[in-house]
Amino acid sequence: MSRLALKLPGLDLKNPIMPASGCFGFGKEYAQFYDLSKLGAIAIKATTVEARFGNPTPRLAETKSGLLNAIGLQNPGMDKVCSEELPWLDSFDVPILANVAGSEMSDYIEVAEKVSKSSNVTALELNISCPNVKKGGIAFGTVPEVAAELTKEVKRVSQVPVYVKLSPNVADIVSMAKAVEAAGADGLSMINTLLGMRIDLKTKKPILANQAGGLSGPAIKPVAIRMIHQVSQVVNIPIIGMGGIATVDDVIEFFLAGASAVAVGTQNFVDPYICPKLIDELPAKLDEMGVDHISELIGGSWKEVCNIH
Amino acid sequence: MSRLALKLPGLDLKNPIMPASGCFGFGKEYAQFYDLSKLGAIAIKATTVEARFGNPTPRLAETKSGLLNAIGLQNPGMDKVCSEELPWLDSFDVPILANVAGSEMSDYIEVAEKVSKSSNVTALELNISCPNVKKGGIAFGTVPEVAAELTKEVKRVSQVPVYVKLSPNVADIVSMAKAVEAAGADGLSMINTLLGMRIDLKTKKPILANQAGGLSGPAIKPVAIRMIHQVSQVVNIPIIGMGGIATVDDVIEFFLAGASAVAVGTQNFVDPYICPKLIDELPAKLDEMGVDHISELIGGSWKEVCNIH
Amino acid sequence: MMNKQGILSIVSQQQIAEQIFEIKCQGPLVKSMTNPGQFVHVKVDSYDDLLLRRPLSICDIDLEQEILTMLYRVEGEGTNRLSKKQKWEQVDVLGPLGHGFPVEETEPGEVALLVGGGIGVPPLYYLSKQLKKRGVKVIHVLGFQAKSAVFYEKEFNELGETYITTVDGSHGLQGFVTDAISKYELSFDTLYSCGPNVMLKALTSQFENSRGFLSLEERMGCGIGACLACVCHPTEDPEGTSYKKVCTDGPVFKVGEVVL
Amino acid sequence: MMNKQGILSIVSQQQIAEQIFEIKCQGPLVKSMTNPGQFVHVKVDSYDDLLLRRPLSICDIDLEQEILTMLYRVEGEGTNRLSKKQKWEQVDVLGPLGHGFPVEETEPGEVALLVGGGIGVPPLYYLSKQLKKRGVKVIHVLGFQAKSAVFYEKEFNELGETYITTVDGSHGLQGFVTDAISKYELSFDTLYSCGPNVMLKALTSQFENSRGFLSLEERMGCGIGACLACVCHPTEDPEGTSYKKVCTDGPVFKVGEVVL
Ligand SMILES: Cc1cc2nc3c(=O)[nH]c(=O)nc-3n(C[C@H](O)[C@H](O)[C@H](O)COP(=O)(O)OP(=O)(O)OC[C@H]3O[C@@H](n4cnc5c(N)ncnc54)[C@H](O)[C@@H]3O)c2cc1C
Ligand SMILES: Cc1cc2nc3c(=O)[nH]c(=O)nc-3n(C[C@H](O)[C@H](O)[C@H](O)COP(=O)(O)OP(=O)(O)OC[C@H]3O[C@@H](n4cnc5c(N)ncnc54)[C@H](O)[C@@H]3O)c2cc1C
Ligand SMILES: Cc1cc2nc3c(=O)[nH]c(=O)nc-3n(C[C@H](O)[C@H](O)[C@H](O)COP(=O)(O)O)c2cc1C
Ligand SMILES: Cc1cc2nc3c(=O)[nH]c(=O)nc-3n(C[C@H](O)[C@H](O)[C@H](O)COP(=O)(O)O)c2cc1C
Ligand code: FES
Ligand code: FES
């Protein structure tokens, strides 16, 4: 087995690098740049029951080392995703993590049931934390009991393992993680974006039409590392880590914090080749660190050192 | 009256710029660089009942556009603060905002009572959110009822107006703000630092001896702006805004979001002259924006436009 | 698989009007930039405090020497940093991106009216050159704020009739581009335009039944169609869920194709 | 009121050993840098992704020409960016900061032993020059990892006896600085040292009753005593609340004064 390969629930990863949901569409655009089969997995854009247009523009604003977005779950709806997007992705040898979103609990269940039946969807990612959905959405991501109930309901109908994507906009991330683990989650994705805003000095109004948006990019990496470090020590399910990854050193830092795989979001916009680049650079980094297999790094910042070999 | 002067509870400000607590000690060091009487106010370092050494070193780690700190409330204790630090500051013509911290509610009350009696302390800032204090501290900052009770108790003993400094590490900043307002807070300070971590790839351990620390600097500005924008629309008490301020444009952005004064933290370390620089640059910026008095900008991003003059 | 990313070397950089710079960059990537109205996505430098690339139009191409010319206005931090770059420094460019102006929609001998506003003027230059090469008669109407902001007047004049308007009347006709079109009774077979939204709206209402193509601007993330930052509504479904992406379906659209 | 901040121009920059660079900067601020062992706090550039200044020791000063020499090892992003800066570019310097080595503690005619480890060597150079000028006999023991990391051997040799050690034995004596001191039976009136903590600890336990001064390193925020990032415990109160700040009480302390 390759020194980068990892087996997570539903995700048989050639390597631990995947694009993050919402930052890679359904893959078509990036397929012009490289062979998607190179990727460890692909987290596709959030899917809802009905098609959505999303928020008005402007939808993006830059901040220091960060990016604010308020796309607003724009997607063609689950039927089209299942009839068009997923079949197209079938030609690649790569597991698909399908990001599921909605406004009501029943939406999530409906999407999860339908999408998890697609032959190439090997795991679901419950987006309980999208900060740009105004009704309902927020509560799922910040109240442990609600998140747990949602997880349980989705687990009941899903044909594939379920990852719950946690929001960082909470006082106590550990309670959230424990609650969804107890409810049957097979894994966690963390973190989604922090809620933020920028105001334009000329117009005196928020730059985003939606006013607030989700903050991603290197600015939020320390928050992601802290949360993964806390959570990975108290749960027994794997974590897909994300938040500001741009270099192979960042990937290693997430593993040391406790992640078992990583997702790259914003950096895809800066460098469309970033995912294959990271994959290519990882082996040399492992050599430099004297590490045989990437899995040896998982939780290395808090695990007792044991030099078996 | 000068176009920069503002009257806030307990704070008669020549201008809206003050150094943030913990980033300016008790002023002595910066007094070597410029006349402290130039400042709108000074927020002094957190004071506790007893002297504290704080956390072991390393206490700082840099992140992209951010700084992690885990100083840990190091201070000489309230008796020394009142007998040595405050009298020294008395020679300057500048209001003092005394930052109050502790581990138990009784600590806060004791410090607030004693410090608020000092002749040059014109307001208190309740640091209910310091992320580096391990026992107790966190709960004050994340549970509205607890924060409200603390505010009420401190208000009972304080001789001067009380500002409550809110933690951004919460799901619902609005509830926190409303709770402390209802409990009698005269103003709010926001935001304190976000909890974060960095791991050293060489040692494979967190860089900070305390593991986690508080994230400050430009990286967190969008979170601060968002929270102030939300809170200022629903409370009737003024907000001292902070989080990543480095330029005069940042100052304006905080005012437009809803702040009535601002504090500068991390940037003092980069440029010891930053506060007087901002004060000197503000009038030209107001000219450029066609604004007579800085107070016209408060909440400009959400207030209906009214061109009276 | 395409390689659309390249490092170009700056071969010249100069200020040509108030806040307006002309930059010329060289590299093999330029070979693929044949379509006027397309744009490139520029990473100004490698510092992480400014994350995103900046979209800039192709203003001119020298295919033989592999030189790309861009004109830009210093707006904020990104363009400010770009303006500080020296000859022989490098920039990371992704492109060419998007669908440009369709030159082939105008037959040789026909008249094309090219209307540009402010920093919307640059892409019209490469367009005009190609139209002229095709034997199309080109007329330019270029609107600016004031005399100090006018650029490339001589260059456009060399290609065809050129009318300048300024808002304050300090140069050319006082008023907007639409005033010039009315005043000089300019007629055309095809309209090509790029500029601020208000201008495009005015042109659309005046010429909604003409053959015309407008280049739009929207804040961009990826520039390649993946992030959905830059969407707009098609005119036939103005409130619905269908959409067009400015970066890949545009930036050039038919008059009336999308909601402005 | 003091002005301790200044913009210095780089007059030369060169690599002098593996990962080690020598940079010389010029400006009026240098006039105030008379005390060896003090340091400056350098803002490498104006980009916000790297917020803090970097503390670097004063390695040499030319008061007449107002030139400051620093030697640094490329450790991370900050020193890496510094190493890319060209002649005539500028750096923003805050300094001189801290309490340096007390030259006056050694009388003319006495012997001073200067012990440096790795990137702790630079401040000893300015110190050695000043001691020599005072008529003190200087002996240098400089420890490095390997031959490729050795620098300023010639420069120190010109000032006095100089012993080099390398961990791998590729140059000078194989071993640590303490091995050289023992092997060559070096005796002295005053010890001055700067280097990694392990080295300072070894020296302290060997010479705890000697007159000696050690320069410490700690991560710094402000560099001026306000942020309390750089504190250490005094030896007489190792667990208590009293403290010393490396940036203002140090970086140089008496042997045994603070807990290493
Ligand atoms: C297809 C296209 C072609 C363009 N061609 C040109 C050109 O040839 N010359 C030129 O001067 N300008 C052009 N622009 C506008 C140019 O992209 C912006 O002026 C520039 O990105 C501003 O960056 P900044 O960092 O200086 O400003 P900031 O305001 O600091 O930028 C902050 C963010 O907002 C975005 N942004 C700000 N203004 C605009 C805008 N008007 N359009 C799109 N994004 C914006 C930036 O890309 C960046 O992500 C074009 C825009 C588009 C979409
Ligand atoms: C008083 C003093 C004098 C010094 N003199 C020199 C000198 O003359 N030459 C030289 O090469 N180095 C010297 N150092 C160490 C030098 O400051 C660090 O190597 C440098 O800051 C590393 O920055 P970086 O961005 O390259 O590394 P990074 O690891 O990316 O730096 C990240 C952060 O950690 C801090 N940091 C990292 N390592 C150290 C360290 N060893 N000491 C203090 N802070 C650190 C940085 O200042 C920065 O804030 C001195 C340190 C101190 C405290
Ligand atoms: C433009 C954009 C769109 C996003 N859309 C989604 C989404 O649809 N579903 C989701 O779970 N997360 C979404 N995210 C969050 C990312 O998947 C990721 O969690 C976050 O951006 C942090 O990673 P990064 O810093 O690498 O971007 C989106 C992020 C961005 C920037
Ligand atoms: C080194 C350091 C020490 C701090 N100490 C305190 C403190 O004692 N009390 C407090 O309320 N806030 C403290 N803070 C938080 C700041 O007052 C401020 O809220 C925060 O840093 C955000 O502002 P900035 O981004 O401008 O630094 C500290 C921040 C830093 C960086
Ligand atoms: S910019 Fe990303 S879809 Fe157009
Ligand atoms: S670095 Fe701030 S107190 Fe020493």
Side-chain angles (χ1 to χ4, degrees):
Chain A
M1 200 167 91
S2 137
R3 61 202 296 211
L4 297 183
L6 288 153
K7 253 188 195 322
L8 267 55
L11 298 172
D12 216 337
L13 306 170
K14 283 189 280 292
N15 61 67
I17 309 286
M18 68 185 88
S21 177
C23 302
F24 206 72
F26 294 93
K28 277 211 180 86
E29 294 78 15
Y30 289 91
Q32 307 171 309
F33 290 96
Y34 58 87
D35 178 3
L36 302 187
S37 302
K38 262 207 108 168
L39 296 167
I42 297 176
I44 57 174
K45 176 110 193 95
T47 300
T48 54
V49 176
E50 306 291 345
R52 294 199 190 191
F53 181 80
N55 291 319
T57 57
R59 293 175 167 190
L60 290 189
E62 249 187 333
T63 67
K64 287 288 157 82
S65 299
L67 170 65
L68 285 168
N69 91 80
I71 306 295
L73 294 185
Q74 177 157 20
N75 81 97
M78 64 180 187
D79 290 339
K80 259 215 173 130
V81 168
C82 289
S83 65
E84 292 177 16
E85 306 294 352
L86 286 168
W88 181 83
L89 275 167
D90 218 8
S91 59
F92 300 97
D93 172 30
V94 60
I96 305 293
L97 181 66
N99 192 271
V100 173
S103 313
E104 310 291 331
M105 197 162 313
S106 57
D107 299 344
Y108 281 87
I109 298 171
E110 213 179 323
V111 176
E113 183 158 17
K114 165 126 197 172
V115 171
S116 71
K117 284 189 189 133
S118 285
S119 63
N120 56 342
V121 168
T122 59
L124 297 185
E125 185 179 47
L126 284 195
N127 178 6
I128 61 170
S129 50
C130 180
N132 299 323
V133 182
K134 277 178 173 164
K135 43 173 183 174
I138 273 297
F140 295 147
T142 59
V143 183
E145 296 71 30
V146 184
E149 196 192 332
L150 180 69
T151 307
K152 207 173 284 170
E153 292 298 318
V154 167
K155 272 297 287 180
R156 230 175 17 86
V157 300
S158 175
Q159 313 284 314
V160 295
V162 174
Y163 290 73
V164 180
K165 184 156 179 182
L166 301 182
S167 164
N169 302 293
V170 297
D172 181 1
I173 192 77
V174 165
S175 303
M176 289 298 304
K178 282 183 167 168
V180 301
E181 179 183 37
D186 301 285
L188 301 170
S189 286
M190 51 196 294
I191 58 176
N192 212 314
T193 52
L194 281 165
L195 264 172
M197 180 183 286
R198 251 197 81 182
I199 295 169
D200 187 324
L201 260 55
K202 281 182 208 141
T203 65
K204 300 199 179 78
K205 298 289 160 216
I207 293 182
L208 299 177
N210 189 52
Q211 303 205 318
L215 184 64
S216 62
I220 70 168
K221 197 185 75 173
V223 176
I225 294 289
R226 184 264 298 181
M227 289 188 164
I228 292 168
H229 182 263
Q230 281 182 295
V231 167
S232 61
Q233 296 182 57
V234 296
V235 299
N236 292 307
I237 49 178
I239 296 171
I240 303 171
M242 67 202 76
I245 292 177
T247 67
V248 73
D249 282 12
D250 295 333
V251 174
I252 304 292
E253 195 176 348
F254 273 83
F255 269 81
L256 292 172
S260 296
V262 297
V264 181
T266 307
Q267 190 64 19
N268 289 291
F269 307 156
V270 184
D271 178 2
Y273 298 97
I274 184 64
C275 288
K277 268 187 200 161
L278 294 176
I279 294 165
D280 291 343
E281 288 172 13
L282 266 174
K285 189 75 200 178
L286 295 185
D287 287 346
E288 185 191 319
M289 297 184 76
V291 169
D292 286 341
H293 194 277
I294 185 134
S295 60
E296 294 164 36
L297 294 171
I298 301 169
S301 66
W302 48 265
K303 276 186 190 150
E304 288 301 314
V305 191
C306 57
N307 281 314
I308 307 181
H309 46 265
Chain B
M1 198 168 92
S2 138
R3 61 202 297 211
L4 297 183
L6 289 153
K7 253 189 195 322
L8 268 53
L11 298 173
D12 216 335
L13 306 171
K14 282 188 281 292
N15 62 66
I17 310 286
M18 68 185 86
S21 177
C23 303
F24 206 73
F26 294 93
K28 279 211 178 85
E29 293 78 16
Y30 289 91
Q32 306 171 309
F33 291 95
Y34 58 87
D35 178 3
L36 302 187
S37 301
K38 262 206 109 169
L39 296 167
I42 297 176
I44 57 174
K45 176 110 193 96
T47 300
T48 54
V49 176
E50 307 290 344
R52 294 199 190 190
F53 181 80
N55 291 319
T57 57
R59 293 174 167 191
L60 289 189
E62 248 186 333
T63 68
K64 287 289 157 84
S65 299
L67 170 64
L68 286 168
N69 91 80
I71 306 294
L73 294 185
Q74 176 157 22
N75 80 96
M78 63 181 190
D79 290 340
K80 258 212 173 133
V81 168
C82 289
S83 65
E84 293 178 14
E85 307 294 353
L86 285 168
W88 180 84
L89 274 168
D90 218 7
S91 60
F92 300 97
D93 171 29
V94 61
I96 305 294
L97 181 65
N99 191 272
V100 173
S103 313
E104 311 290 330
M105 196 161 313
S106 57
D107 298 345
Y108 281 87
I109 298 171
E110 213 178 324
V111 176
E113 183 158 17
K114 164 128 195 171
V115 171
S116 70
K117 283 189 190 131
S118 286
S119 63
N120 56 341
V121 168
T122 59
L124 297 185
E125 185 179 47
L126 285 195
N127 178 6
I128 61 170
S129 51
C130 180
N132 298 323
V133 182
K134 276 178 176 164
K135 41 173 184 174
I138 273 296
F140 294 146
T142 59
V143 183
E145 295 72 29
V146 184
E149 195 192 332
L150 180 69
T151 307
K152 206 173 285 170
E153 293 298 318
V154 167
K155 272 296 287 180
R156 231 175 18 84
V157 301
S158 175
Q159 312 284 315
V160 296
V162 174
Y163 290 73
V164 179
K165 184 156 179 181
L166 300 182
S167 164
N169 302 293
V170 297
D172 181 1
I173 193 77
V174 165
S175 302
M176 289 297 305
K178 281 182 167 168
V180 301
E181 179 183 38
D186 301 285
L188 300 170
S189 286
M190 50 196 294
I191 59 176
N192 212 314
T193 52
L194 281 165
L195 265 172
M197 180 183 286
R198 251 198 80 183
I199 296 169
D200 187 325
L201 261 54
K202 282 183 206 138
T203 65
K204 300 200 178 78
K205 298 288 161 217
I207 292 182
L208 300 177
N210 189 52
Q211 304 205 319
L215 184 64
S216 62
I220 71 168
K221 197 186 75 174
V223 176
I225 294 289
R226 185 264 297 179
M227 290 187 164
I228 292 168
H229 182 264
Q230 282 181 295
V231 167
S232 62
Q233 295 181 57
V234 296
V235 299
N236 293 307
I237 50 179
I239 296 172
I240 303 171
M242 68 202 76
I245 292 176
T247 67
V248 73
D249 282 13
D250 295 333
V251 174
I252 304 291
E253 195 176 348
F254 273 83
F255 269 81
L256 291 172
S260 297
V262 297
V264 181
T266 307
Q267 190 64 19
N268 288 292
F269 307 157
V270 184
D271 178 2
Y273 298 97
I274 184 64
C275 288
K277 269 187 200 160
L278 293 176
I279 295 164
D280 291 344
E281 288 172 13
L282 265 174
K285 188 75 202 178
L286 295 184
D287 288 345
E288 186 192 318
M289 297 184 75
V291 169
D292 285 342
H293 193 278
I294 184 132
S295 61
E296 294 164 36
L297 295 171
I298 301 170
S301 65
W302 49 265
K303 276 185 190 152
E304 288 302 314
V305 190
C306 57
N307 282 314
I308 308 181
H309 46 267
Chain C
M1 246 45 32
M2 356 167 252
N3 193 347
K4 287 208 161 188
Q5 189 182 7
I7 305 294
L8 304 191
S9 296
I10 299 171
V11 293
S12 81
Q13 160 107 282
Q14 57 169 325
Q15 187 163 359
I16 57 170
E18 204 179 350
Q19 300 286 78
I20 310 282
F21 289 76
E22 178 198 67
I23 191 168
K24 292 179 188 272
C25 310
Q26 191 171 36
L29 192 71
V30 174
K31 277 238 156 48
S32 50
M33 301 181 184
T34 51
N35 191 345
Q38 284 190 299
F39 68 98
V40 293
H41 218 22
V42 181
K43 181 95 178 90
V44 167
D45 56 38
S46 61
Y47 301 111
D48 274 338
D49 50 349
L50 211 70
L51 275 189
L52 294 179
R53 292 171 178 272
R54 300 304 196 245
L56 292 177
S57 302
I58 295 171
C59 168
D60 196 13
I61 294 293
D62 180 336
L63 282 176
E64 217 156 88
Q65 297 214 53
E66 300 180 341
I67 292 177
L68 156 69
T69 303
M70 296 174 280
L71 306 184
Y72 62 94
R73 180 165 61 209
V74 171
E75 277 289 328
E77 183 68 4
T79 45
N80 183 39
R81 287 195 192 174
L82 186 60
S83 73
K84 299 281 154 63
K85 296 212 107 177
Q86 310 280 327
K87 203 169 160 174
W88 303 123
E89 285 194 76
Q90 301 188 316
V91 282
D92 176 345
V93 168
L94 187 68
L97 302 175
H99 280 94
F101 288 111
V103 176
E104 67 287 354
E105 292 276 339
T106 311
E107 295 304 325
E110 289 188 331
V111 178
L113 182 67
L114 280 59
V115 182
I119 204 58
V121 167
L124 301 182
Y125 185 64
Y126 193 37
L127 171 65
S128 183
K129 275 175 119 177
Q130 297 216 358
L131 286 169
K132 195 168 176 197
K133 205 161 125 197
R134 188 176 158 82
V136 171
K137 180 178 176 222
V138 288
I139 305 175
H140 314 109
V141 181
L142 312 177
F144 300 91
Q145 282 299 319
K147 183 172 184 183
S148 58
V150 177
F151 56 87
Y152 263 42
E153 184 178 2
K154 186 173 119 289
E155 284 82 350
F156 277 99
N157 253 321
E158 282 167 11
L159 297 172
E161 267 172 58
T162 301
Y163 303 92
I164 305 284
T165 68
T166 53
V167 177
D168 66 356
S170 50
H171 191 61
L173 182 71
Q174 197 239 305
F176 299 104
V177 288
T178 41
D179 298 325
I181 299 172
S182 309
K183 173 158 180 184
Y184 303 116
E185 294 173 9
L186 302 176
S187 66
F188 56 86
D189 297 292
T190 317
L191 171 73
Y192 295 97
S193 181
C194 182
N197 247 3
V198 280
M199 186 188 98
L200 300 182
K201 275 185 189 159
L203 290 171
T204 300
S205 64
Q206 206 170 338
F207 302 110
E208 54 187 333
N209 299 317
S210 309
R211 195 203 296 158
F213 302 91
L214 310 178
S215 182
L216 269 58
E217 269 189 20
E218 192 50 78
R219 284 188 176 234
M220 290 187 179
C222 63
I224 60 167
C227 73
L228 303 182
C230 66
V231 298
C232 57
H233 290 279
T235 316
E236 79 259 17
D237 181 21
E239 306 279 321
T241 61
S242 45
Y243 60 93
K244 296 280 177 185
K245 300 183 233 183
V246 172
C247 67
T248 47
D249 299 318
V252 175
F253 294 96
K254 275 209 186 93
V255 167
E257 185 180 357
V258 295
V259 180
L260 291 175
Chain D
M1 246 44 35
M2 352 166 256
N3 192 346
K4 287 207 161 191
Q5 189 182 6
I7 305 294
L8 304 191
S9 296
I10 299 171
V11 293
S12 80
Q13 160 108 282
Q14 58 170 324
Q15 187 164 359
I16 57 170
E18 204 179 350
Q19 301 286 77
I20 310 283
F21 289 76
E22 178 198 67
I23 191 169
K24 291 178 189 274
C25 309
Q26 192 171 35
L29 192 71
V30 174
K31 277 239 154 49
S32 51
M33 302 181 184
T34 52
N35 191 344
Q38 283 190 300
F39 67 99
V40 293
H41 218 21
V42 180
K43 180 95 177 92
V44 167
D45 55 39
S46 61
Y47 302 111
D48 274 338
D49 51 349
L50 211 71
L51 275 188
L52 294 179
R53 291 172 179 272
R54 301 306 197 242
L56 292 176
S57 302
I58 295 170
C59 167
D60 197 14
I61 294 293
D62 180 335
L63 282 176
E64 218 156 89
Q65 298 213 51
E66 300 181 343
I67 292 176
L68 157 69
T69 303
M70 296 174 280
L71 307 184
Y72 62 94
R73 180 164 61 208
V74 171
E75 276 289 330
E77 184 67 5
T79 45
N80 183 39
R81 287 195 193 175
L82 186 59
S83 73
K84 300 279 154 64
K85 296 213 107 175
Q86 310 281 327
K87 203 170 160 173
W88 303 123
E89 286 194 76
Q90 301 188 313
V91 283
D92 176 345
V93 169
L94 187 69
L97 302 174
H99 281 94
F101 289 110
V103 175
E104 67 287 356
E105 292 277 338
T106 312
E107 295 304 326
E110 289 188 330
V111 178
L113 181 65
L114 280 60
V115 182
I119 204 60
V121 167
L124 301 182
Y125 184 65
Y126 193 37
L127 171 66
S128 183
K129 275 176 117 176
Q130 298 214 358
L131 286 168
K132 195 168 175 197
K133 204 160 125 196
R134 188 177 158 81
V136 172
K137 181 178 174 218
V138 287
I139 306 177
H140 314 109
V141 181
L142 312 176
F144 300 91
Q145 282 298 320
K147 184 174 183 181
S148 58
V150 177
F151 56 87
Y152 265 42
E153 183 178 2
K154 187 174 122 286
E155 283 81 351
F156 277 99
N157 253 321
E158 281 167 11
L159 297 172
E161 268 172 58
T162 301
Y163 303 91
I164 305 284
T165 69
T166 53
V167 178
D168 67 356
S170 51
H171 190 63
L173 183 71
Q174 197 239 306
F176 299 103
V177 289
T178 41
D179 298 326
I181 300 173
S182 307
K183 174 159 178 179
Y184 304 115
E185 295 173 9
L186 302 175
S187 65
F188 57 86
D189 296 293
T190 317
L191 170 73
Y192 296 96
S193 181
C194 181
N197 247 3
V198 280
M199 186 189 99
L200 300 181
K201 275 186 190 159
L203 290 170
T204 301
S205 64
Q206 206 171 338
F207 302 110
E208 54 187 332
N209 298 317
S210 309
R211 195 204 296 158
F213 302 91
L214 310 178
S215 182
L216 269 57
E217 269 189 20
E218 192 51 77
R219 284 188 176 233
M220 290 186 180
C222 63
I224 62 167
C227 73
L228 303 182
C230 66
V231 298
C232 57
H233 290 280
T235 317
E236 79 260 17
D237 181 21
E239 307 279 320
T241 61
S242 44
Y243 60 92
K244 296 279 178 184
K245 300 183 234 184
V246 171
C247 67
T248 47
D249 298 318
V252 175
F253 294 96
K254 275 209 186 92
V255 167
E257 186 181 357
V258 295
V259 180
L260 291 175

